[in-house]
Amino acid sequence: EAQVTQNPRYLITVTGKKLTVTCSQNMNHEYMSWYRQDPGLGLRQIYYSMNVEVTDKGDVPEGYKVSRKEKRNFPLILESPSPNQTSLYFCASSFGTGGRVGGEQFFGPGTRLTVL
Amino acid sequence: QQPVQSPQAVILREGEDAVINCSSSKALYSVHWYRQKHGEAPVFLMILLKGGEQKGHEKISASFNEKKQQSSLYLTASQLSYSGTYFCGIVTSGTYKYIFGTGTRLKVLA
């Protein structure tokens, strides 16, 4: 089954404790992206990756890191989480970039993160 | 800068039509529409490209006015399953970033 998986689905942590949220897709998509969703603000892009070893900042990259060492995986790293990073996080992937018809994004199920 | 969606919320009866608008202050390369049900991930509905190409689902239609940098999503003969929050996402010319609007909450009543 074609899908995007994220782990963990729920996470409660404390300020400053490094964490990684994994994201994996099995559709051989080039483009992968991380979003955070907060009430009233919609989906905001954190980072995106055009392909292996190619990443770039979205609109809200502060406090986050990403890497793309393999085509299928795109982990999100919070080196020193803070309470303002409490949010619902979605990973997404697409065949092409937004400018191509194949730019339809497939979203993972989401990770609800709480930083105390 | 996030695109502006209107209305922010709408309530319909089954069978009624609705239009959701998305407006950007930047030149657009493509516009994407997604629907998200409560507690779930967004699901793709439609993509419209500069130049007129589009891809989407059969019961959903949309328009893209490149000059005005606006898109509209048309929901006809609404069904209960149409309830959810609709987001437009834009890709501006010269970038590969997605920028989503803040959403339109749509509720269809029986």
Side-chain angles (χ1 to χ4, degrees):
Chain A
E1 180 191 353
Q3 61 182 351
V4 178
T5 56
Q6 295 178 228
N7 282 292
R9 296 288 312 279
Y10 302 91
L11 179 60
I12 300 174
T13 189
V14 295
T15 298
K17 187 176 180 181
K18 180 179 178 179
L19 67 92
T20 300
V21 184
T22 64
C23 172
S24 184
Q25 51 92 6
N26 62 0
M27 295 168 279
N28 201 36
H29 285 166
E30 293 103 345
Y31 191 95
M32 296 187 74
S33 184
W34 277 102
Y35 298 91
R36 61 177 289 173
Q37 186 172 32
D38 303 289
L41 297 178
L43 293 150
R44 293 180 293 166
Q45 192 175 46
I46 303 171
Y47 270 95
Y48 64 94
S49 170
M50 301 283 288
N51 214 322
V52 175
E53 302 292 2
V54 182
T55 63
D56 206 349
K57 297 177 181 178
D59 275 351
V60 288
E62 294 78 19
Y64 304 94
K65 282 176 60 176
V66 293
S67 67
R68 187 94 180 269
K69 294 186 172 63
E70 302 167 284
K71 197 172 186 178
R72 63 184 292 126
N73 296 323
F74 191 44
L76 179 70
I77 302 156
L78 285 72
E79 295 268 1
S80 182
S82 62
N84 64 13
Q85 293 179 297
T86 292
S87 187
L88 178 60
Y89 291 86
F90 286 103
C91 179
S93 73
S94 63
F95 174 69
T97 65
R100 295 172 54 182
V101 175
E104 167 188 351
Q105 291 190 92
F106 293 81
F107 283 81
T111 295
R112 188 165 292 282
L113 172 66
T114 301
V115 184
L116 302 173
Chain B
Q1 203 158 4
Q2 287 181 283
V4 177
Q5 287 186 234
S6 63
Q8 290 186 321
V10 59
I11 299 175
L12 301 171
R13 293 279 178 189
E14 264 189 302
E16 292 181 339
D17 301 338
V19 180
I20 301 172
N21 301 301
C22 176
S23 181
S24 170
S25 60
K26 298 184 178 183
L28 299 178
Y29 191 88
S30 62
V31 179
H32 307 236
W33 287 96
Y34 290 81
R35 176 171 61 212
Q36 184 179 30
K37 294 186 178 287
H38 184 68
E40 299 180 7
V43 173
F44 171 80
L45 295 175
M46 175 78 67
I47 180 172
L48 303 105
L49 297 176
K50 188 175 178 180
E53 188 176 5
Q54 56 179 270
K55 174 184 175 184
H57 294 266
E58 291 178 2
K59 296 186 179 180
I60 305 280
S61 64
S63 64
F64 179 18
N65 186 324
E66 296 171 31
K67 286 185 180 178
K68 292 186 177 180
Q69 294 155 194
Q70 293 175 345
S71 177
S72 295
L73 185 72
Y74 304 97
L75 304 169
T76 56
S78 58
Q79 305 168 17
L80 294 175
S81 62
Y82 285 12
S83 293
T85 301
Y86 289 75
F87 292 100
C88 70
I90 62 172
V91 177
T92 55
S93 298
T95 77
Y96 297 104
K97 281 190 200 181
Y98 281 91
I99 307 173
F100 282 90
T102 54
T104 295
R105 292 188 310 280
L106 186 139
K107 176 79 173 173
V108 180
L109 302 175

